[in-house]
């Protein structure tokens, strides 16, 4: 329990100390923000800082820092270190710069931002990559809750149309259409802060339940500094890919422009972007602690946790809430497993609309032009929702962290151009390059090679990417000379 408290203190301290270093490096000023300058009443709308924070938290969180952290707990309390230091030095930095670079460039989507600093080839790659990823995320976060709602209603004896997952899928997609189409402050700005607060309360309830129950003990890192995964999956780099939300996640960079278009001042970025990432890290740390403390450890392996996770994410979250908060946790569990994925899904489709709008230069101030993008996007989502996407979804974790890597290299190039300390982004970019390439080389769904090949490959490519970046920084200097 002591190591958990230390990590929690480091996360909170990281917001005030390293978060301030990151903010000072970027140097926000008093220039007019896109929300004030453009203010189209749809996507560019000024919202108060507290709403920006809660909406950003819910946009980037969903079930990610809950289920991902519990899966990470299979490796044991060593996962606390990745959540803590990943959040402070990688995730918070990634989220801050993805949001602030969008704000500095008129609220541009992340694909356009990458193109500005890494060139047109990367811009086009990121355009396609982002839209496909966002539609996939949005669709999965519609199908999952639809099935869960049917299961819950079935347990209550409900029959007929409302016991059909197809009906609920279309209901959720209809909501997605409305939330994607109308002004961001009409639904997202009003309802999401409530769900954001529920997400925080649920995490507080879980850790309070663990602390007050003498049968639960959070293991110490120093006494369990070993790989406890029942299947023997290596910590490097599987744990770093599995625990994305709660440490660093490329998906966040697709969501940050939503709030970058709603800030009244650049100086809100520290609280909104870096702060929301730290809050997500705290939530992930709590759920990882729950996974380590509540379930059985046999022969030094997290076997009990593995068994509950095998029943699915909704069952695992429900089980933790019941065991830590009793019947009072049921309502919060339902918010977690139904509302959270839906709220991530609709902002995924909204972000996809903005990416396409930036790509094809379609003004979104007019209703007809928003319809031009919303209708086909949701139609594709409905089509994908009826496909067997399980194989494709296995690639999500890798593509997610690869996106984070690209965004960090983008921020590094921006800082170089501004003659600022680019190492605060280049170091985590190099690290994530090693993580991404190592996983792609050895994961079964990718190349499936041995770790003897994957580990050196990850290091070599990370060094190569860093070398390419350093070479790019040298060329302009020679030309100026």
């Amino acid at each position: 329990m002591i190591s958990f408290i230390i990590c929690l203190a480091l996360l909170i301290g990281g917001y005030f100390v390293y978060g301030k270093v990151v903010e000072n490096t970027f140097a926000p000023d008093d220039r007019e923000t896109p929300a004030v300058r453009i203010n189209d009443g749809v996507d560019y709308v000024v919202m108060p800082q507290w709403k920006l924070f809660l909406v950003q938290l819910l946009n980037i969180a969903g079930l990610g820092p809950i289920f991902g952290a519990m899966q990470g707990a299979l490796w044991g309390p060593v996962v606390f270190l990745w959540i803590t230091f990943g959040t402070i030095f990688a995730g918070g930095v990634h989220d801050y710069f993805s949001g602030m670079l969008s704000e500095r460039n008129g609220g541009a989507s992340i694909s356009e931002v990458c193109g500005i600093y890494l060139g047109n080839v990367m811009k086009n790659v990121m355009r396609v990559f982002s839209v496909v990823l966002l539609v996939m995320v949005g669709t999965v976060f519609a199908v999952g809750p639809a099935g869960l709602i049917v299961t819950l209603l079935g347990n209550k004896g409900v029959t007929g149309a409302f016991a059909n997952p197809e009906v609920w899928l279309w209901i959720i997609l209809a909501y997605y259409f409305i939330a994607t189409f109308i002004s961001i402050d009409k639904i997202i700005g009003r309802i999401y802060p409530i769900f954001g607060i529920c997400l925080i309360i649920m995490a507080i309830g879980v850790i309070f339940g663990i602390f007050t129950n003498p049968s639960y003990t959070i293991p110490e890192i120093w006494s369990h500094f070993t790989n406890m995964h029942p299947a023997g999956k290596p910590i490097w780099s599987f744990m770093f890919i599995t625990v994305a939300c709660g440490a660093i996640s490329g998906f966040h960079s697709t969501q940050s422009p939503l709030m970058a278009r709603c800030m009244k001042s650049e100086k809100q970025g520290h609280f909104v972007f870096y702060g929301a990432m730290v809050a997500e890290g705290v939530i992930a740390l709590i759920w990882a602690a729950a996974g380590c403390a509540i379930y059985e450890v046999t022969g030094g392996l997290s076997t009990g946790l593995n068994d509950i996770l095998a029943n699915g994410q909704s069952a695992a979250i429900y089980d933790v809430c019941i065991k830590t908060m009793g019947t009072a946790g049921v309502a919060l569990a339902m918010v977690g497993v139904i509302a959270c994925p839906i709220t991530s899904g609709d902002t995924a489709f909204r972000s996809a609309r903005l990416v396409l709008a930036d790509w094809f230069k379609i003004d979104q101030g007019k209703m007809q032009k928003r319809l031009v993008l919303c209708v086909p996007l949701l139609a594709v989502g409905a089509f994908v929702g009826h496909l067997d996407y399980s194989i494709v979804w296995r690639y999500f974790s890798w593509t997610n962290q690869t996106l984070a890597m690209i965004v960090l290299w983008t921020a590094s190039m921006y800082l170089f151009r501004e003659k600022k300390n680019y190492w605060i982004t280049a170091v985590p970019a190099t690290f994530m390059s090693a993580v991404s390439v190592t996983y792609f080389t050895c994961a079964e769904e990718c190349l499936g090679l041995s770790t003897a090949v994957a580990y050196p490959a990850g290091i070599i490519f990370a060094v190569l990417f860093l070398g390419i970046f350093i070479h790019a920084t040298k060329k302009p200097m020679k030309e100026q000379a």
Side-chain angles (χ1 to χ4, degrees), residues 255-274:
Q255 302 302 292
S256 293
L258 295 178
M259 294 300 96
R261 300 182 182 208
C262 298
M263 292 195 306
K264 185 178 181 180
S265 168
E266 281 195 346
K267 295 176 182 178
Q268 295 174 328
H270 178 215
F271 180 64
V272 174
F273 298 121
Y274 199 97

Side-chain angles (χ1 to χ4, degrees), residues 150-163:
V150 169
T151 300
L152 293 173
L153 292 177
N155 292 337
K156 297 294 184 180
V158 176
T159 59
F162 287 108

Side-chain angles (χ1 to χ4, degrees), residues 190-201:
R190 292 181 180 179
I191 300 177
Y192 280 31
I194 298 173
F195 289 140
I197 293 171
C198 289
L199 191 65
I200 295 171
I201 293 174

